[in-house]
Amino acid sequence: MHSKFIITTLFTFATLYSYGQTFIDGKEDEVIKERPFQISLVPGFGTSRGAKQGYVNRFSLNLFAGYEYGFHGVELGGFYNINKHNIKGAQFAGFGNTVGGDVYGAQFGGFVNTVKGKVKGVQGAGYLNIVSKEVQGAQLAGYMNLADSVKGLQAAGIINVNRRNLDGTQLAGIINVAKDVEGLQVSGLVNKAKHIKGTQIGLINIADTVERGATVGLLNIVKKGKHQLAMEHNEVMDVNLAFRSGTDRLYSVLFAGIQGKSDFLWSYGLGFGTEFKLKNHWSSNVEITSQSINPKEDHHEELNLLNRLSWNFNYQMASHLSISAGPAFNVYVTDVYDQESGRYGDDIDMGSFYNETFSGTNVKMWIGYNISVKF
């Protein structure tokens, strides 16, 4: 019993491989006949006439695996379905589907789907989808989607790769890759594209140019965009080191700073900003930032955030050198409380005009300033 099962399985995989090579390397035949249905156990065992005869089935049932010319209707496969030419309708397989032409409709595989042509409709796989040409519709996979171009939605648990254009939305748990994006890229870690006409949202965004739209993340690497280091001083932190990346339309700010008083404080934070040109060498930028304030060799577990809205005016002295200054509106929110002194938060109160406590959370507001040298 076991030996027969092993022999049958090996024969099936050998058949699948040889047929797969046939439709990959062979020429397409023209449809000559149509059949209402076919039922097969494996290729060559059943009512099927085979792919070479050019039959299109309305209903195709492959108990384990099948190799057909195509179908216009529904195909079900216990393990694997292979079609040499185009399919129209719905295709389901426990493990995978392979189509040597185009797919018009829906294709669902428990593990993998591969299409040599294009897909117009929905393609869903538990692990991997591969389309050699364009997807018009939705491509959904638990692990990875690969397509030449997409008009619609491409969503994967880990990675999406689009060799050319994305006109729609690309969603991935880890990384999205496309050449030209007209729409939206969203990932849990990295988005990569060449030309952007839309929006990238991720921890790290990489692009050559952003023609319109924005890159939104902690680190935005735009080849023809903003890459700026700065040494800064304000009324709270004596020295800040900041890095700005993205475009003038929208950029991110990552920074860290120290206060050198007797109690010594250090901070780190992030924010977003926008910059617009004025006359001659002048420009102006508005930024919203939030930073955690901490004592020497320690880190507050309690809420202790300084939030700032800054409006700066910049003078460009050279191609990579500018000076900047402007006012800042501060909102300090803290749960840190010293019972001995009865003081909330760290010693950064610079003459607040608002000081209120709500359910153990203290809020202070004051007007400060920024001075910086940018490179």
Side-chain angles (χ1 to χ4, degrees):
M1 182 69 180
H2 291 291
S3 61
K4 290 183 178 180
F5 175 77
I6 293 172
I7 292 172
T8 302
T9 302
L10 292 174
F11 172 78
T12 301
F13 277 106
T15 304
L16 290 174
Y17 176 78
S18 62
Y19 284 162
Q21 291 302 308
T22 298
F23 81 73
I24 290 173
D25 300 326
K27 296 181 179 179
E28 295 181 350
D29 301 322
E30 294 196 5
V31 177
I32 56 175
K33 295 180 182 179
E34 184 175 288
R35 303 181 71 205
F37 70 91
Q38 77 83 27
I39 300 176
S40 300
L41 175 62
V42 293
F45 294 88
T47 65
S48 171
R49 296 295 180 87
K52 292 184 179 180
Q53 299 299 320
Y55 281 96
V56 172
N57 301 291
R58 289 291 181 182
F59 176 77
S60 180
L61 175 61
N62 303 304
L63 298 178
F64 185 73
Y67 178 48
E68 300 297 317
Y69 184 85
F71 72 86
H72 293 174
V74 177
E75 182 172 51
L76 306 176
F79 182 74
Y80 213 101
N81 296 314
I82 297 178
N83 285 268
K84 183 179 180 181
H85 198 55
N86 301 338
I87 68 170
K88 295 180 180 180
Q91 185 180 48
F92 304 88
F95 183 83
N97 299 295
T98 292
V99 175
D102 301 329
V103 173
Y104 301 90
Q107 184 184 50
F108 297 100
F111 187 80
V112 62
N113 293 308
T114 66
V115 178
K116 190 176 181 181
K118 62 187 176 183
V119 172
K120 287 187 176 182
V122 179
Q123 187 183 47
Y127 186 79
L128 174 65
N129 288 311
I130 299 175
V131 178
S132 296
K133 296 182 180 179
E134 184 181 64
V135 175
Q136 296 181 18
Q139 192 179 39
L140 314 171
Y143 176 76
M144 178 181 180
N145 288 310
L146 175 62
D148 184 62
S149 60
V150 173
K151 289 184 178 180
L153 173 65
Q154 191 179 45
I158 303 297
I159 180 173
N160 290 308
V161 177
N162 194 332
R163 288 187 294 264
R164 292 195 301 141
N165 302 335
L166 170 67
D167 185 359
T169 302
Q170 201 175 39
L171 308 174
I174 303 296
I175 182 171
N176 287 311
V177 179
K179 185 179 179 182
D180 298 326
V181 175
E182 294 189 27
L184 177 65
Q185 272 189 325
V186 181
S187 76
L189 184 60
V190 178
N191 292 306
K192 186 178 185 299
K194 191 170 184 179
H195 304 294
I196 299 291
K197 294 180 181 179
T199 303
Q200 286 182 318
I201 301 175
L203 292 178
I204 301 172
N205 297 305
I206 302 171
D208 279 9
T209 59
V210 180
E211 186 172 328
R212 64 172 183 265
T215 58
V216 182
L218 292 181
L219 186 61
N220 302 288
I221 303 172
V222 181
K223 186 176 181 180
K224 297 179 182 178
K226 180 185 289 293
H227 310 91
Q228 192 177 70
L229 280 172
M231 293 291 293
E232 303 178 345
H233 167 75
N234 58 51
E235 82 282 1
V236 177
M237 292 291 151
D238 296 329
V239 179
N240 275 315
L241 178 63
F243 178 68
R244 293 170 173 84
S245 62
T247 65
D248 286 345
R249 189 180 298 109
L250 180 67
Y251 58 84
S252 62
V253 188
L254 298 175
F255 61 95
I258 57 173
Q259 183 196 90
K261 293 183 179 179
S262 58
D263 54 354
F264 189 85
L265 298 173
W266 64 280
S267 72
Y268 63 92
L270 59 90
F272 296 94
T274 183
E275 183 171 338
F276 45 93
K277 301 297 182 182
L278 300 176
K279 291 184 178 181
N280 298 325
H281 299 286
W282 290 92
S283 65
S284 182
N285 66 289
V286 178
E287 295 179 353
I288 298 177
T289 60
S290 182
Q291 63 194 104
S292 174
I293 309 294
N294 300 281
K296 182 179 181 181
E297 298 178 355
D298 198 3
H299 186 282
H300 286 308
E301 297 297 330
E302 303 90 342
L303 177 68
N304 197 50
L305 291 177
L306 175 60
N307 308 284
R308 293 168 65 88
L309 174 62
S310 306
W311 183 16
N312 301 302
F313 292 90
N314 316 290
Y315 181 75
Q316 195 73 37
M317 302 177 67
S319 58
H320 295 287
L321 178 63
S322 64
I323 57 174
S324 175
F329 172 65
N330 295 268
V331 180
Y332 182 36
V333 182
T334 181
D335 289 341
V336 175
Y337 180 71
D338 185 357
Q339 293 185 350
E340 293 184 3
S341 64
R343 186 184 71 184
Y344 276 95
D346 294 301
D347 187 18
I348 61 172
D349 187 353
M350 304 298 170
S352 58
F353 62 83
Y354 182 91
N355 188 341
E356 297 290 341
T357 302
F358 308 91
S359 302
T361 298
N362 181 251
V363 179
K364 296 183 178 72
M365 300 180 188
W366 68 89
I367 301 297
Y369 64 89
N370 292 299
I371 300 174
S372 63
V373 179
K374 301 175 181 178
F375 306 94

